[in-house]
Amino acid sequence: VPGPGCAGGGLPPPTPEEPMGQVSQTGQIKINDFLFDPEGADDGKEFIKLYNEGERAVDLANWSIQTRSGTSGSVSKKNFESGMTIQPKGYFLIWLGPNDQANMVWASGSLNNASGTIYLVRDKKVIESDSDPDVEDKVFYEKKKEAVSAEPPPGAFLKNLYWYKDPNSDVRFID
């Protein structure tokens, strides 16, 4: 069941001044966060979460989510379906594998465990480059290998890397 601010019914009809689905080129739908290479098997644990920074709902029916493995791999794509919307200041959860609580399931989708790029595209066509004009948002991620001493300090442990977006930059950092 989608959470508040996610896809679903009950949207007011668009007004002529603000047609639903029209998004400014500055981008109001963002890739908010995602999980790649979770501990253990990846099946059914990876996700991508979108956020609508705008003041109105956006119809995603003609959009797609796309991923590229590594820096030069092929692009995989999942189209959003008719009726899928993201509410203002709301989230939209895409699960890569089975999940009853996601707004959209991409059963065959997966994120490369080493590095890749996630694209939110205002079209259903496969993008040709990172600079495709229909790319609403994109995130490059890379798993960093850190040196680990043979004897870690007391209380130290390894944890999954968490990636986030600096609001002033397209560069993602490791926490």
Side-chain angles (χ1 to χ4, degrees), residues 44-122:
K45 296 179 184 174
E46 295 180 322
F47 68 86
I48 302 166
K49 190 185 328 174
L50 308 178
Y51 178 68
N52 181 355
E53 295 178 337
E55 298 297 326
R56 59 188 164 77
V58 174
D59 180 3
L60 300 172
N62 293 314
W63 293 38
S64 61
I65 192 80
Q66 302 183 29
T67 61
R68 180 183 311 276
S69 292
T71 56
S72 60
S74 63
V75 173
S76 297
K77 173 179 76 84
K78 170 72 173 168
N79 294 333
F80 290 92
E81 298 169 13
S82 176
M84 290 186 167
T85 58
I86 184 168
Q87 296 296 325
K89 308 295 183 200
Y91 295 93
F92 189 98
L93 181 61
I94 304 163
W95 209 267
L96 286 69
N99 185 295
D100 293 338
Q101 297 182 1
N103 300 103
M104 181 171 80
V105 171
W106 186 358
S108 64
S110 68
L111 299 174
N112 185 288
N113 287 343
S115 68
T117 306
I118 303 169
Y119 304 91
L120 178 61
V121 183
R122 293 182 305 270

Side-chain angles (χ1 to χ4, degrees), residues 10 17-18 29-30 32 39 51 53 72 92 94 98 107 114 116 122 124 130 136 145 157 164 172:
E17 304 88 290
E18 292 187 0
I29 310 298
K30 301 291 182 191
N32 189 73
E39 193 171 320
Y51 178 68
E53 295 178 337
S72 60
F92 189 98
I94 304 163
R122 293 182 305 270
K124 290 186 174 185
D130 282 359
E136 174 78 6
K145 294 183 180 179
F157 61 93
Y164 65 93
R172 276 32 176 206

Side-chain angles (χ1 to χ4, degrees), residues 22-41:
Q22 182 177 344
V23 177
S24 69
Q25 291 297 320
T26 59
Q28 65 188 48
I29 310 298
K30 301 291 182 191
I31 299 168
N32 189 73
D33 58 350
F34 59 97
L35 177 64
F36 75 102
D37 195 25
E39 193 171 320

